[in-house]
Amino acid sequence: WYLPSMDQLQDNHVYSAIIDGDIGSGTAQMVTQVHHYNGNRNLSSSVPGYLQPRDTTQRALDLTAPLVMKNVDGLNTGIQIENLTGTDGSATVRFRNANGSSVASVTVALPHGGGWANVYLPNITELGESFTGAAEIISDVAIAAEVSTVRYR
């Protein structure tokens, strides 16, 4: 769906969506991209979201965030990771710079039954004062993640 073409959605309002699918089949995949600009608050946000089933026989990574930023012209990224299983788990987020080199990683606990963790790039000192790159998310349980980049001015 292209949100600007939806007449029901009004400017300066916040909306959310629940997207449901069958991840038990091992074939589900969702990719979304939302961009929002609020002129009254001088806020711009971009939200790519990814959902893939955990299947280590097909890939080494669970999820990727192709563009993440820390303090780049006021842009900062947060990654919210949710545990989709009934088992406690963890996730590791590995950050790569524009050359593809791994520059930092963070491991977070993911409690069972919908437990989640937030990885906010401004809190990761290993990324330096400013960072533009990608993130790879690896987990020992099935996960969903949302990647949000915001600018406050």
Side-chain angles (χ1 to χ4, degrees):
W1 304 284
Y2 182 59
L3 297 182
S5 69
M6 299 177 84
D7 294 333
Q8 301 89 340
L9 302 180
Q10 301 172 5
D11 290 343
N12 299 315
H13 285 76
V14 176
Y15 296 93
S16 64
I18 297 173
I19 301 172
D20 191 13
D22 179 16
I23 63 168
S25 69
T27 60
Q29 179 174 342
M30 176 191 71
V31 179
T32 64
Q33 174 70 42
V34 176
H35 181 267
H36 171 73
Y37 175 72
N38 182 328
N40 292 337
R41 300 181 86 187
N42 238 356
L43 168 67
S44 178
S45 65
S46 179
V47 182
Y50 306 89
L51 168 63
Q52 296 177 321
R54 171 88 172 145
D55 185 351
T56 56
T57 63
Q58 295 182 12
R59 63 180 179 281
L61 295 176
D62 287 314
L63 305 169
T64 59
L67 179 62
V68 295
M69 292 175 265
K70 175 183 177 181
N71 196 26
V72 177
D73 191 30
L75 293 166
N76 287 292
T77 300
I79 303 170
Q80 297 74 37
I81 307 166
E82 182 181 5
N83 182 343
L84 300 176
T85 73
T87 306
D88 289 341
S90 65
T92 298
V93 181
R94 183 174 47 223
F95 296 94
R96 294 192 178 274
N97 64 18
N99 295 328
S101 300
S102 180
V103 295
S105 67
V106 174
T107 299
V108 293
L110 297 173
H112 68 279
W116 61 276
N118 185 37
V119 177
Y120 188 52
L121 273 66
N123 295 337
I124 304 172
T125 57
E126 295 86 354
L127 294 177
E129 286 297 313
S130 180
F131 174 79
T132 301
E136 302 169 337
I137 307 167
I138 302 165
S139 179
D140 56 359
V141 294
I143 58 173
E146 178 181 306
V147 182
S148 305
T149 300
V150 297
R151 171 186 287 146
Y152 295 101
R153 290 193 176 195

